[in-house]
Amino acid sequence: MRLLHCALLYIFLFISPAIVAQTDSVTVTGRIRNLTPQLYRRSPQVLITRTNILQASQEIAHPAPLDAEGRFRVKVPLIYPQEELTFNFNTITTGFLAAPGTLSIDLNADSLYVAEVPFRFGGVNAQVNQQYARYRAYEAQNRKKPDWTRLTRQAQGRTPAGVHRYLVETFTEPLRAFAANQRVLPLLSRWLTSVARYDAATFQYEQAMAEGTELPAALNDSLRPADDRLLTVARATAMERFSQYAVQTLNSSVITGSNQAGRSLPVPTLASLVERYGKNLTESERQRLRNIGSAGAIKPQDLRFVNSLVERSADLFQRLMTYEALIRQSQNRFDTPSVDYLRGYALVSALPTLTLTDAQLFYGHIRPQIKDAYLGPSLSDVYYRETKDSLLIREAAGRLATGDSLSGLNEIAPGIFATRNRTTPGSQLFSKLLKNNAGKVVYALIWSPSVESSQQVALAAQRLRDVFSPRELSLLYIAAPDVDPTLWQEFIVKRNLKGDHLYLSAEQWSEGISQLGTDYITVFDRAGKRQRRSAIDPQEFDKLVTQLQKLL
């Protein structure tokens, strides 16, 4: 019975979010006519990408392989009634507006780089997408690149509402010029005007953050229109900037004292959180928490009692209390849809630094709070994609716990080798990994999965695998001191960080690793000798490739 309960819980936590999120879909079909063997080898598939409103910086790719005659077909989930998607083939790309149903895109390979508008749309929104393709061709020939310095200068001295009107008018100027010679379909006009409005909102949020000013509430309907059922990349970007602006504004109000009430949680809220998420609570402790919550006030001995329970899971409760304080403050400053967005964005931004267990907990805590018909499924969509590899991660954890972690040959997932041994000195473990990679250049990187900038460096280093063969170069990732071992193991599997990985305890780090330099990146040549010249960051990719090629 217990096994059945666990299975049902797994299904609820990891499968149901996908079902909830995929409320509808569009089937995108099409054909690349006259597809040559050479072009097929370069581009054997098309990509349809979409955007989640809570994750503007990440494109969600849906690949569609081409068959021998150049045909393709892919089903793409939709959350909003109308969503802006992107079609990509070889170096050709175009946006289009999708709605539930079937949509077709045809191209002729012979005219890909010759025709002004190489796309032929059919099905859902066919006329709108065809006119949009013509508009983009017109825009490419006639629109000047935005002069951001000039726009900033022109915005000076205007009211926030005046700035918004000026920006929208400026950004829609190409549309008005295009409309002077032909009738623009209402949906296309709405689409392009929406993009201009949200581009203006992004500009104003960024300006407000740079200047440390606050935008008036009267402008909310212009910056974040209510009941907007059209999702574009511009909208997702603007909402991401809104969340950053909101957090900065709320933090500033606490520091200056204008919103001191938001710094602490009400006693009932704190007691409820501890009762719900506290570790190993006895029934008497739970009852005392209920009594504290219902009393509405807290005595010094009760405060010490609650703090002792919080200390059992200090990091978890710090995150929960920070989240609750943010939402409590935002409810006094923003409307309900904006607060719902902040709820979802808070979890999405934290997911890369959460273990699967904590991700489940926070999703279960936050998702029921979101009442918006589109933001709720949007959060479920992100959560499902971030946790979809849960089975693979758990299998990797089992291999790491039982495998020979001293040899450096413990493959916990395809291409991912992890070493963790608490009894062997760190220098000895590191030497073993260097020996395993004898005859190769080794690019050793100290990183942390809990720091976003460090995550990006670790991910960027993977590009070296596209340039160098496994016989030439080995990537060696060393987890920084005090990294959560569960988060480390889950991250390297979830993000598919192929290479050798070394995890050291605080004691092993304190002993020192003599082979490493003082920088967070160290390069070893084929003979295993450390290079004295400072290694280049993988985000300066071309320079790094040149540096490594000299060692081969």
Side-chain angles (χ1 to χ4, degrees):
M1 191 68 185
R2 174 176 169 79
L3 289 175
L4 177 61
H5 171 75
C6 291
L8 290 174
L9 179 63
Y10 174 85
I11 291 171
F12 174 77
L13 287 173
F14 290 103
I15 304 301
S16 63
I19 298 171
V20 171
Q22 296 182 15
T23 54
D24 232 319
S25 64
V26 60
T27 299
V28 182
T29 67
R31 184 180 180 186
I32 314 295
R33 299 180 184 278
N34 300 322
L35 182 65
T36 64
Q38 295 85 352
L39 184 57
Y40 177 79
R41 283 194 293 270
R42 290 203 305 269
S43 304
Q45 65 180 13
V46 303
L47 279 181
I48 307 297
T49 59
R50 64 184 178 95
T51 302
N52 187 297
I53 193 170
L54 293 169
Q55 210 172 29
S57 57
Q58 181 174 325
E59 287 186 332
I60 307 163
H62 297 268
L66 297 171
D67 68 13
E69 296 182 342
R71 291 186 174 88
F72 62 89
R73 182 184 184 91
V74 63
K75 192 173 184 178
V76 180
L78 299 176
I79 294 173
Y80 283 80
Q82 300 278 358
E83 292 197 21
E84 181 183 75
L85 307 184
T86 304
F87 170 89
N88 302 274
F89 172 69
N90 200 13
T91 59
I92 300 295
T93 182
T94 186
F96 62 97
L97 200 61
T102 300
L103 185 153
S104 65
I105 307 174
D106 284 0
L107 301 88
N108 191 318
D110 291 339
S111 58
L112 278 182
Y113 305 101
V114 179
E116 189 176 71
V117 181
F119 310 99
R120 291 294 177 266
F121 289 91
V124 175
N125 292 337
Q127 290 182 308
V128 170
N129 288 323
Q130 199 64 56
Q131 190 173 52
Y132 176 75
R134 292 198 300 273
Y135 168 77
R136 290 305 304 268
Y138 169 85
E139 186 184 47
Q141 293 178 358
N142 297 279
R143 184 182 183 181
K144 297 179 181 178
K145 291 184 178 180
D147 185 340
W148 299 108
T149 302
R150 176 178 173 275
L151 288 174
T152 302
R153 188 169 58 249
Q154 291 292 327
Q156 293 176 352
R158 300 175 189 257
T159 65
V163 171
H164 190 77
R165 286 193 298 270
Y166 165 72
L167 292 172
V168 172
E169 182 178 346
T170 300
F171 294 154
T172 54
E173 185 176 337
L175 174 60
R176 293 195 301 276
F178 181 74
N181 299 314
Q182 59 184 291
R183 175 181 173 271
V184 176
L185 296 169
L187 182 54
L188 178 61
S189 178
R190 177 184 158 209
W191 176 10
L192 295 175
T193 302
S194 172
V195 170
R197 184 174 62 242
Y198 285 114
D199 282 344
T202 296
F203 181 97
Q204 290 190 272
Y205 288 133
E206 291 178 346
Q207 185 180 49
M209 286 189 286
E211 297 176 355
T213 57
E214 189 169 346
L215 296 168
L219 198 59
N220 287 350
D221 286 342
S222 297
L223 297 174
R224 304 184 300 280
D227 198 30
D228 189 350
R229 301 188 177 191
L230 195 159
L231 177 61
T232 63
V233 175
R235 181 183 181 186
T237 302
M239 291 305 297
E240 183 178 66
R241 295 297 184 277
F242 160 70
S243 68
Q244 296 163 353
Y245 158 80
V247 170
Q248 177 177 304
T249 301
L250 294 172
N251 287 340
S252 176
S253 67
V254 169
I255 292 171
T256 58
S258 60
N259 190 18
Q260 291 291 325
R263 298 184 67 179
S264 59
L265 295 179
V267 172
T269 301
L270 180 58
S272 175
L273 287 175
V274 176
E275 183 190 358
R276 185 175 178 183
Y277 300 116
K279 278 188 176 180
N280 305 319
L281 296 181
T282 65
E283 185 53 38
S284 62
E285 288 172 332
R286 293 183 184 278
Q287 186 58 53
R288 186 174 177 182
L289 287 169
R290 295 187 198 106
N291 294 339
I292 292 172
S294 60
I298 190 165
K299 300 175 183 178
Q301 61 268 33
D302 290 333
L303 181 59
R304 288 192 294 272
F305 166 70
V306 172
N307 284 338
S308 69
L309 300 182
V310 167
E311 283 301 315
R312 296 179 187 176
S313 308
D315 183 63
L316 170 64
F317 280 108
Q318 181 60 51
R319 288 179 181 269
L320 281 169
M321 289 188 287
T322 300
Y323 165 78
E324 291 293 342
L326 170 69
I327 298 306
R328 179 173 162 78
Q329 295 173 69
S330 67
Q331 288 172 328
N332 298 326
R333 306 290 282 271
F334 305 112
D335 57 20
T336 299
S338 299
V339 175
D340 269 355
Y341 181 86
L342 290 174
R343 286 188 171 105
Y345 188 80
L347 176 57
V348 169
S349 58
L351 276 175
T353 62
L354 293 176
T355 63
L356 282 175
T357 299
D358 284 349
Q360 292 174 22
L361 184 149
F362 277 94
Y363 177 76
H365 181 71
I366 295 173
R367 177 61 180 88
Q369 298 177 8
I370 300 177
K371 306 304 180 186
D372 186 272
Y374 304 112
L375 287 173
S378 296
L379 179 60
S380 296
D381 174 58
V382 177
Y383 172 77
Y384 171 71
R385 286 186 286 103
E386 289 292 328
T387 58
K388 63 179 171 41
D389 296 323
S390 58
L391 183 59
L392 181 64
I393 290 170
R394 295 181 196 282
E395 290 176 347
R399 296 188 188 100
L400 185 60
T402 59
D404 179 7
S405 201
L406 176 60
S407 69
L409 301 176
N410 187 17
E411 188 173 19
I412 63 171
I416 301 174
F417 298 85
T419 297
R420 185 186 180 196
N421 187 298
R422 300 172 182 82
T423 62
T424 304
S427 289
Q428 185 175 334
L429 292 174
F430 190 84
S431 295
K432 180 65 176 176
L433 290 174
L434 284 181
K435 185 177 180 181
N436 289 347
N437 289 289
K440 305 176 187 177
V441 173
V442 176
Y443 188 76
L445 170 67
I446 300 173
W447 72 293
S448 171
S450 59
V451 179
E452 183 178 358
S453 59
S454 188
Q455 291 176 8
Q456 296 307 314
V457 170
L459 291 167
Q462 286 288 299
R463 292 179 59 198
L464 293 170
R465 294 171 51 82
D466 298 329
V467 178
F468 301 98
S469 75
R471 295 186 301 274
E472 295 174 322
L473 177 76
S474 177
L475 296 177
L476 173 51
Y477 293 91
I478 307 110
D482 300 321
V483 164
D484 182 322
T486 302
L487 178 62
W488 163 75
Q489 178 261 311
E490 290 182 0
F491 189 94
I492 63 178
V493 175
K494 183 165 62 175
R495 298 303 184 200
N496 199 27
L497 283 182
K498 294 184 182 297
D500 290 306
H501 293 266
L502 175 61
Y503 184 91
L504 301 175
S505 66
E507 183 179 353
Q508 287 169 316
W509 268 110
S510 66
E511 295 168 353
I513 303 178
S514 58
Q515 300 94 325
L516 289 176
T518 56
D519 295 332
Y520 70 98
I521 300 174
T522 307
V523 175
F524 297 85
D525 64 17
R526 287 175 177 262
K529 296 177 62 176
R530 186 179 73 200
Q531 299 299 292
R532 293 186 178 182
R533 181 183 176 186
S534 296
I536 296 175
D537 189 293
Q539 293 177 326
E540 296 184 79
F541 190 71
D542 292 340
K543 292 182 180 179
L544 173 58
V545 168
T546 300
Q547 182 186 44
L548 296 177
Q549 284 175 334
K550 293 178 180 178
L551 299 176
L552 295 174

